[in-house]
């Protein structure tokens, strides 16, 4: 459901945004809606990042661990005929 919203913005910003929206073949309202959706989704995705950060340090690797070498061994064994 669409709801009307009134905003106070700088006149120059509005004019530039209208030009930008027109160049993108969209309305200023849709442009702002998409931007706000992007902000909200980013905030939701940052919660996932918090979970990922909490998992940091779970694996303990030796100092001389060579991830490239280990990956190469893995790929070689996976695709070995």
């Amino acid at each position: 459901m669409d709801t009307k919203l009134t905003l106070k913005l700088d006149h120059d910003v509005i004019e530039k945004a209208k030009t930008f929206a027109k160049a993108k073949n969209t309305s200023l309202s849709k442009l702002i809606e998409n931007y706000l959706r992007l902000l909200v989704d980013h905030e939701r995705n940052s919660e996932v990042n918090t979970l990922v950060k909490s998992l940091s340090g779970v694996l303990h690797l030796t100092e001389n661990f060579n991830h490239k070498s280990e990956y190469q061994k893995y790929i070689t064994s996976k695709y070995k005929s």
Side-chain angles (χ1 to χ4, degrees):
M1 176 176 68
D2 290 346
T3 303
K4 188 172 183 173
L5 173 67
T6 303
L7 300 171
K8 282 184 157 187
L9 303 171
D10 181 77
H11 177 75
D12 292 336
V13 172
I14 294 170
E15 292 306 313
K16 289 177 183 176
K18 283 181 181 179
T19 302
F20 181 83
K22 187 174 183 178
K24 298 293 182 183
N25 202 25
T26 189
S27 68
L28 186 56
S29 291
K30 188 55 85 174
L31 184 72
I32 293 170
E33 179 183 353
N34 289 339
Y35 179 68
L36 291 175
R37 182 174 284 115
L38 180 68
L39 289 176
V40 172
D41 289 346
H42 176 72
E43 183 67 27
R44 189 172 358 146
N45 290 338
S46 70
E47 293 172 14
V48 172
N49 290 340
T50 303
L51 173 63
V52 172
K53 286 178 185 175
S54 73
L55 296 174
S56 291
V58 172
L59 294 177
H60 299 285
L61 304 173
T62 61
E63 282 186 36
N64 62 348
F65 181 78
N66 185 334
H67 70 280
K68 289 181 181 179
S69 172
E70 293 300 320
Y71 183 69
Q72 185 177 20
K73 288 178 195 174
Y74 166 75
I75 293 298
T76 302
S77 68
K78 181 176 179 179
Y79 293 106
K80 192 185 231 182
S81 304

